[in-house]
Amino acid sequence: MEYSFCESSEWSWEEPSCHSPIRLSCNQREVLFNPTVSVGTAAVKGTVPFMAGRQYLWEIKMLSTIHGTDVVVGVGTAHVNLSAYSQKFIALLGNDSESWGLSYRGDIIHGGIRTSYGPQFGKGSIVGVHLNMWTGTLEFYLNRRRLGVAFKLMKNQVLYPMISSTIGNSSMRLVTTMSWPASLELSCLQSISAMPQLSNIPGLRAMWGKTFWWQQATEMKKKVEENALSEAVEYELEIISSDEEEQERIMLRSRRILRNRNNQRRRHAAQC
């Protein structure tokens, strides 16, 4: 998927003070932490609070190498003091009861407690966050792979998206911001996403692929990709049905593509 990184979005990062170790660019969607040298933890939050009764999805791409104490992506209330540890290296998000976060090490953090959750992420990774303000759940994605519910939050809290970093000259970019009101349609899609066998319902596959890709089960995503490839192959065969040799070449090519995709999935699963 291609992103136009500097276009407008539903929200962006809040402008820091002139003495802050944070620099914003690209319509306040790209953030640079500790541009010279890091002496502690820097953090930034979104410009607007998230509203009750809505669902929010946003994605952040890691633009620089990640190492050191911690980089954490998550949410927090207005009570989080973003400059509390400017002279100390710490995982700021999740360090107290007012914030929840996912560390680059793969742990989720809240109240100072770390829990193993998913694989590590690094430079080039896209971390997705889905906050359901209707049910009070928070879950994360890594490179559009769903990792599952990480936290169950209080439904009536006012929350902001946040990032914290202890790394010098580290940068990240907000590449996706979307939200929807809680609705019967969305609830039904979320329920159906747990049943990959329903992926062939007319129109459902197109709806998922276009807007609600983040609700697809992993198995359903595979089915969608394979069905799309099969349809393309069938179309090509119809066009050149008189050329048997060309048909054979197309079939061999499609089998090779599917085999390569399956091998890539197995390697990815082994790494995780």
Side-chain angles (χ1 to χ4, degrees):
M1 180 177 180
E2 294 294 329
Y3 299 100
S4 181
F5 295 124
C6 292
E7 291 181 354
S8 61
S9 60
E10 292 190 2
W11 54 270
S12 57
W13 300 117
E14 189 173 80
E15 190 70 44
S17 67
C18 58
H19 301 295
S20 171
I22 292 173
R23 301 292 180 268
L24 299 180
S25 60
C26 204
N27 290 341
Q28 295 181 226
R29 299 186 73 176
E30 190 166 314
V31 55
L32 174 64
F33 293 99
N34 308 303
T36 53
V37 63
S38 178
V39 296
T41 307
V44 66
K45 73 174 184 178
T47 50
V48 296
F50 290 148
M51 299 169 57
R54 292 187 69 85
Q55 296 198 38
Y56 295 86
L57 177 85
W58 63 102
E59 294 180 303
I60 299 168
K61 184 170 185 177
M62 304 296 144
L63 303 180
S64 57
T65 302
I66 299 179
H67 56 84
T69 304
D70 230 327
V71 169
V72 188
V73 175
V75 299
T77 71
H79 300 297
V80 176
N81 185 349
L82 299 179
S83 60
Y85 298 100
S86 59
Q87 301 295 317
K88 185 176 181 180
F89 297 98
I90 194 171
L92 190 150
L93 296 186
N95 186 57
D96 56 19
S97 61
E98 299 291 333
S99 58
W100 299 257
L102 171 65
S103 163
Y104 84 94
R105 300 175 184 275
D107 303 325
I108 51 175
I109 317 170
H110 176 62
I113 299 174
R114 285 179 174 266
T115 305
S116 180
Y117 174 72
Q120 294 188 18
F121 59 83
K123 182 179 180 180
S125 297
I126 295 178
V127 179
V129 190
H130 173 218
L131 175 64
N132 189 331
M133 295 290 283
W134 175 255
T135 61
T137 55
L138 178 67
E139 62 181 325
F140 297 94
Y141 294 71
L142 181 56
N143 298 323
R144 295 203 161 182
R145 179 185 177 189
R146 193 175 186 178
L147 301 180
V149 174
F151 300 106
K152 291 188 176 180
L153 318 176
M154 296 291 289
K155 298 180 185 180
N156 58 351
Q157 293 185 101
V158 177
L159 298 172
Y160 293 82
M162 297 181 180
I163 316 173
S164 68
S165 174
T166 61
I167 308 171
N169 203 35
S170 57
S171 58
M172 301 152 205
R173 180 185 292 142
L174 184 64
V175 295
T176 304
T177 58
M178 298 187 287
S179 70
W180 304 266
S183 65
L184 180 59
E185 177 190 38
L186 193 51
S187 296
C188 289
L189 284 171
Q190 290 170 321
S191 297
I192 292 173
S193 70
M195 298 177 280
Q197 65 272 24
L198 300 181
S199 62
N200 287 322
I201 294 177
L204 188 58
R205 187 171 61 203
M207 183 183 297
W208 257 312
K210 192 172 184 180
T211 306
F212 298 109
W213 55 264
W214 47 280
Q215 279 301 326
Q216 292 180 39
T218 301
E219 294 79 6
M220 191 176 292
K221 287 183 180 180
K222 294 178 184 176
K223 186 71 173 177
V224 168
E225 292 174 357
E226 290 168 1
N227 284 348
L229 178 61
S230 297
E231 289 171 1
V233 170
E234 289 172 4
Y235 178 70
E236 288 191 58
L237 289 175
E238 288 176 4
I239 293 176
I240 56 168
S241 58
S242 60
D243 190 334
E244 293 183 359
E245 290 185 2
E246 186 65 18
Q247 285 187 22
E248 183 65 22
R249 282 196 292 271
I250 291 173
M251 292 303 298
L252 289 173
R253 186 180 66 189
S254 66
R255 293 192 190 103
R256 185 167 59 252
I257 292 172
L258 287 173
R259 185 168 58 250
N260 289 340
R261 286 185 178 179
N262 289 333
N263 289 338
Q264 289 175 356
R265 288 175 184 138
R266 282 193 290 270
R267 286 195 296 270
H268 180 73
Q271 292 173 356
C272 294

